[in-house]
Amino acid sequence: MQDTVEESIANHSLEVAKAIVQDFDIEAYENFLLKQEKNEHYWKIRRDLNAIREKIGALYVYTLAIDNPAISKTMIVGASGNFKIGDSCTVPEKYVEQAYYQNAPYVTEEILDPKYGSYLSVGVPIHNGSGQVIGYLGIDISAESISAIEETVMENNVMNFLINIIFILTIIVCFLLLQRWYQKKVSKEVGNTEDTYQAELKTLIASVSSLKHDYANHMQVLHGLLQIGKTNRALEYVTSLTNEIQMIEKLQLNVDHSGLAILLQTKKLATENYQIDMDLSISSNGFNQIKSIDLIKILSNLIDNAIDATLELPEEHRKIQINCHADETKYIFKVVNTCSSLVDNKVIFNQGFSTKAVEDGKIRGQGLFIVKEIVNSYNGTISLNSTAEQEVTAIVEIPIKGRDFTFKV
């Protein structure tokens, strides 16, 4: 602020000096320069300069002769006192050199003078009618005047400083709070992602363990048949196993979304172990405008609910249909399953509500509530309806808004 004030004062004084030169009595000054004595021209110019000094509050207003690149000389000083014509001036040599060679205005830094005190000086050339430089007009501003202005400016800006400090501190606090909130949100998202994928991994491991156990039994049966010489029976048994292997190979899905493909393969394997007929219809779409973790949560919960519902039925009635499609405006995810009872669409999405029996250590009624919360975050819709044919249909619609949440799994 002090530097700005000093620079402003210097620039203002320079403009004042230029304005004074515009109205300067050139003819009188040229007549004075012919004899350089305290004649009528000298006193006229001195009175004019003194009036200007008093008006602008300067320390001194004066004319200079710069006829060499080292030392300038005062000619007429607009102030009371005994000033000699041609006294050496305290303008630093580098500014004298600049004025001598370039005929350009100058602005000095603060000058420390034992006789006149500390001051800042500016100077502009005086041109005659032919455009020749016949001298310089100088203005000195005392350091006390500059300090007084600086103090006034500082006092007037204390409130602005305080407001700026409070504003900056508020921004810093908000940034730290926002950063902390974001870190918590990221940690929560990571935790939810781990929980979701760990649950699916456990399901996959359980399915693989079940297959391993079944094949161990199959090997024992084959070994027994071959030991007792029942080769024909053994061949028939191997043929049935071959059909089952072909069925497992059909689990390979051509789905663009890798996370969705893994989820559906896991669920498909689980339904095979539960003797549930699962039919899949997946459109060729990356589903990139919904976060992978959200997509997995939605379908995982819907499919798990469908599996639980179908397990209450005899094996021949256990059926699940899964449809994942997209058009230009929305994603549509539909899960249809057979069931043994109708559902109440008004309470099924409430947190804690469940149609399953209460078990020790298990929290029920969270799945559909989580799904609804995720769907609402995308301004989507979810519905769950049952029919008299013992069939439940869950439909989730997510509008497409141009966002891209592509996450590789």
Side-chain angles (χ1 to χ4, degrees), residues 192-354:
N192 290 338
T193 302
E194 289 180 352
D195 292 342
T196 300
Y197 282 104
Q198 283 181 5
E200 296 307 319
L201 183 59
K202 288 179 181 179
T203 301
L204 180 60
I205 291 173
S207 300
V208 172
S209 298
S210 177
L211 285 174
K212 180 179 178 182
H213 180 267
D214 290 343
Y215 270 89
N217 291 333
H218 294 323
M219 291 301 103
Q220 289 179 357
V221 172
L222 282 174
H223 184 265
L225 291 174
L226 292 173
Q227 267 192 333
I228 63 176
K230 299 291 186 179
T231 54
N232 290 333
R233 293 290 301 277
L235 183 59
E236 292 175 1
Y237 200 84
V238 170
T239 302
S240 65
L241 289 179
T242 301
N243 294 333
E244 190 168 335
I245 291 173
Q246 291 175 350
M247 174 200 67
I248 293 174
E249 289 177 349
K250 293 179 181 179
L251 293 178
Q252 300 296 327
L253 302 175
N254 185 21
V255 178
D256 292 339
H257 194 290
S258 55
L260 179 59
I262 294 171
L263 173 70
L264 294 178
Q265 287 176 353
T266 302
K267 298 304 182 185
K268 181 69 173 177
L269 185 58
T271 56
E272 295 295 344
N273 288 334
Y274 292 133
Q275 289 77 48
I276 300 174
D277 182 15
M278 176 181 281
D279 181 53
L280 299 173
S281 177
I282 314 297
S283 64
S284 179
N285 191 287
F287 301 103
N288 294 328
Q289 296 187 39
I290 178 173
K291 293 180 181 178
S292 290
I293 184 61
D294 292 336
L295 177 59
I296 299 303
K297 284 181 181 179
I298 291 172
L299 288 175
S300 178
N301 281 291
L302 292 180
I303 296 172
D304 285 344
N305 283 347
I307 291 174
D308 289 339
T310 57
L311 289 177
E312 299 176 1
L313 298 172
E315 292 182 9
E316 63 271 15
H317 296 298
R318 297 175 184 175
K319 294 182 180 181
I320 296 177
Q321 296 178 3
I322 300 175
N323 296 281
C324 302
H325 295 287
D327 58 27
E328 295 180 354
T329 60
K330 61 182 177 296
Y331 295 140
I332 304 171
F333 306 106
K334 182 165 69 173
V335 178
V336 182
N337 65 272
T338 53
C339 64
S340 60
S341 60
L342 302 179
V343 298
D344 188 350
N345 196 33
K346 295 180 180 180
V347 297
I348 194 68
F349 296 107
N350 293 343
Q351 188 173 16
F353 178 84
S354 177

Side-chain angles (χ1 to χ4, degrees), residues 10 13 62 64 89 91-92 95 106-111 119-123 138-141:
S13 300
Y62 52 93
L64 286 170
C89 185
V91 175
Y95 299 106
Y106 63 82
V107 177
T108 71
E109 69 272 5
E110 186 175 338
I111 300 172
Y119 62 92
L120 180 149
S121 182
V122 301
I139 298 178
D140 293 345
I141 304 97

Side-chain angles (χ1 to χ4, degrees), residues 157-210:
N157 284 276
V158 167
M159 185 58 65
N160 289 335
F161 289 147
L162 292 176
I163 292 173
N164 288 336
I165 291 172
I166 293 172
F167 178 70
I168 292 171
L169 290 176
T170 302
I171 290 176
I172 292 173
V173 171
C174 291
F175 173 78
L176 293 175
L177 291 175
L178 183 63
Q179 185 182 44
R180 186 175 180 182
W181 169 82
Y182 180 74
Q183 288 174 343
K184 286 185 177 180
K185 183 175 178 64
V186 171
S187 297
K188 184 178 179 181
E189 287 289 334
V190 171
N192 290 338
T193 302
E194 289 180 352
D195 292 342
T196 300
Y197 282 104
Q198 283 181 5
E200 296 307 319
L201 183 59
K202 288 179 181 179
T203 301
L204 180 60
I205 291 173
S207 300
V208 172
S209 298
S210 177

Side-chain angles (χ1 to χ4, degrees), residues 27-43 45 63-67 72-77 83-88 133-136:
E27 183 179 354
Y29 193 62
E30 285 184 317
N31 289 329
F32 159 74
L33 290 176
L34 291 175
K35 294 185 177 181
Q36 296 187 12
E37 60 184 23
K38 295 182 179 180
N39 53 28
E40 59 178 324
H41 304 295
Y42 169 90
W43 290 111
I45 294 172
T63 63
L64 286 170
I66 300 179
D67 54 9
S72 61
K73 296 178 290 185
T74 57
M75 303 302 288
I76 303 176
V77 180
F83 298 96
K84 293 182 179 181
I85 299 172
D87 270 357
S88 296
V133 176
I134 59 175
Y136 264 74

Side-chain angles (χ1 to χ4, degrees), residues 344-373:
D344 188 350
N345 196 33
K346 295 180 180 180
V347 297
I348 194 68
F349 296 107
N350 293 343
Q351 188 173 16
F353 178 84
S354 177
T355 59
K356 305 180 186 72
V358 178
E359 297 182 23
D360 293 337
K362 287 190 176 182
I363 301 176
R364 296 293 192 183
Q366 300 297 316
L368 290 178
F369 175 77
I370 292 173
V371 172
K372 185 177 180 181
E373 289 293 305

